[in-house]
Amino acid sequence: MRIGILGAGQLGRMLALSGYPLGLSFTFLDPAADACAAPVGEHLRGEYGDERALAAFCERCDVATFEFENVPAAAAAYVAARRPLMPGALALETAQDRLSEKRLFDRLGIPVPPYEPVDTRDALEAAARRIGYPCVLKTRRLGYDGKGQAVLRSASDLDAAWSRLGSRALLLEGFVAFERELSCIATRGRDGATAFYPVTENAHRDGILRTSIPRPDDPLQALAQDYTGRVLAALDYTGVMAFEFFAVGGGLLANEIAPRVHNSGHWTFDGAACSQFENHLRAVAGLPLGPASLRAPCAMVNLIGTVPPLQALARIAEARVHLYGKEPKPGRKLGHVNVVAGNGAARDAALARVQALLG
Ligand code: AMP
């Protein structure tokens, strides 16, 4: 079976690397000449708005999926009319707009921070007064890694935030003084079967994910699974989805969903019985899902902007290194390291050794 993937970044690369043992093959569509999944599949170079490129892509695959959520709606519709596209258009549209996401969570009874859509400077000021300071102004679309966001600490921050973001559709939400950030990675098969990984505790800096640690006995596992299951069912979802939460006061507030394999699930490559990448492929290929259980204590550290010498990383026995083959650039995700150890203390020690190499 040939899987078509819209996008050929590191997520596409890891999907392909996980799919070859199952006998799957891969075609990517991506406009970038240096797309990092290109060496591990057939790379069709073309724009997502180019019907000829989309037609060639559809011709080359049996089923289609995507590795980034900003696939233009028209491209998704074109592909979905010709090949089974999983996850489907509803999941994609919902996840592309923070307001649709929040409304879905509301409808499903999943708690969210207070929020309001805003489209004028006056509306922003009024919404900030209702929600209270601090609050966070976000673009409804195309935000990632903390881009397209501004924290408002008082009314004196309104003008700067508005002049930076005001040209786009926006959402204002309450600032959550969270205790932890957790994500729940889950897979849903074509037949509706689900598999949930242990919740992952995530640490961000400057809006970018730095480390993820799966917490198999977390008291919030059942709640995270319940909320994630509601969204999967409501979207009639096929494939892997990530749901990011703020843990606060013994409960969870929903932040956002990603309709794809997710950075906070990269640890599953080495630390789970069946990785998020393999399970996504199993789902879209119509195979039974694999077990999402933890194999051993593990953690993931992102390599951002620079990569420490491979000699030094390779000396850490617990470290599994994943490099994406990308040119170094400040703030760019160039790879990650999964540490897998015999117990939690050994995991933490190995994690500290990797982090020390990052400086
Ligand atoms: P997002 O793109 O919405 O996932 O935001 C990126 C990161 O910014 C999150 O992982 C949080 O660390 C932080 N953040 C986003 N929204 C809020 C919020 N309402 N309150 C506090 N921190 C937030």
Side-chain angles (χ1 to χ4, degrees):
M1 182 181 281
R2 185 168 277 271
I3 313 283
I5 302 182
L6 295 166
Q10 64 264 21
L11 302 179
R13 179 176 165 117
M14 288 184 272
L15 283 167
L17 291 173
S18 306
Y20 285 114
L22 293 173
L24 302 172
S25 47
F26 296 87
T27 295
F28 299 99
L29 177 65
D30 192 305
D34 60 350
C36 78
V40 298
E42 176 188 40
H43 177 203
L44 305 181
R45 201 178 154 200
E47 299 293 333
Y48 303 111
D50 175 355
E51 279 206 2
R52 276 177 48 196
L54 289 168
F57 172 80
C58 291
E59 230 161 73
R60 294 291 300 143
C61 66
D62 300 302
V63 298
T65 185
F66 45 86
E67 56 113 61
F68 72 117
E69 62 265 48
N70 293 317
V71 174
Y78 184 97
V79 173
R82 289 159 183 82
R83 291 290 181 273
L85 175 70
M86 294 161 284
L90 177 62
L92 190 62
E93 275 164 31
T94 306
Q96 282 180 347
D97 180 356
R98 290 184 189 276
L99 183 61
S100 323
E101 273 179 349
K102 292 274 196 300
R103 287 186 171 151
L104 175 70
F105 303 152
D106 268 344
R107 185 161 66 75
L108 297 175
I110 301 170
V112 292
Y115 67 93
E116 283 189 42
V118 290
D119 47 19
T120 64
R121 166 75 174 68
D122 286 347
L124 171 61
E125 190 164 353
R129 228 177 296 118
R130 280 189 291 270
I131 288 174
Y133 295 95
C135 46
V136 189
L137 186 63
K138 299 181 176 181
T139 57
R140 276 172 55 181
R141 294 176 173 275
L142 299 173
Y144 69 100
D145 287 349
K147 292 189 173 62
Q149 297 192 13
V151 177
L152 307 180
R153 308 235 162 246
S154 70
S156 64
D157 291 333
L158 285 169
D159 283 327
W162 181 255
S163 65
R164 186 153 72 80
L165 303 174
S167 60
R168 287 175 281 167
L170 300 170
L171 188 80
L172 185 71
E173 62 184 52
F175 184 91
V176 182
F178 53 79
E179 289 135 25
R180 297 184 297 153
E181 287 192 82
L182 294 179
S183 58
C184 183
I185 312 286
T187 323
R188 187 166 182 268
R190 284 208 212 177
D191 58 358
T194 50
F196 297 87
Y197 290 93
V199 293
T200 303
E201 196 174 309
N202 301 312
H204 294 80
R205 200 171 67 237
D206 304 326
I208 304 179
L209 182 68
R210 305 289 158 156
T211 57
S212 290
I213 304 180
R215 300 293 188 197
D217 301 315
D218 200 282
L220 290 169
Q221 178 77 32
L223 191 60
Q225 241 174 261
D226 172 17
Y227 292 161
T228 306
R230 290 186 209 181
V231 173
L232 290 174
L235 297 175
D236 191 19
Y237 198 94
T238 301
V240 164
M241 187 187 85
F243 199 158
E244 294 184 75
F245 298 102
F246 301 121
V248 59
L252 292 171
L253 291 178
N255 180 21
E256 61 177 353
I257 52 170
R260 54 172 170 78
V261 289
H262 192 257
N263 196 168
S264 69
H266 287 2
W267 64 266
T268 64
F269 203 109
D270 300 297
C274 181
S275 76
Q276 65 164 348
F277 306 101
E278 180 174 338
N279 257 334
H280 183 71
L281 296 169
R282 283 177 176 239
V284 303
L287 296 167
L289 302 181
S293 49
L294 192 72
R295 279 166 46 191
C298 71
M300 189 254 7
V301 188
N302 269 336
L303 304 176
I304 294 170
T306 57
V307 176
L310 194 52
Q311 280 285 349
L313 283 173
R315 225 168 269 133
I316 302 172
E318 297 85 355
R320 306 275 70 82
V321 182
H322 298 260
L323 300 179
Y324 309 149
K326 288 160 61 171
E327 283 301 315
K329 217 165 89 177
R332 198 172 204 200
K333 290 177 180 171
L334 302 174
H336 67 272
V337 178
N338 289 336
V339 299
V340 185
N343 57 61
R347 184 262 327 271
D348 292 345
L351 178 60
R353 286 182 71 192
V354 174
Q355 284 171 326
L357 292 175
L358 304 183

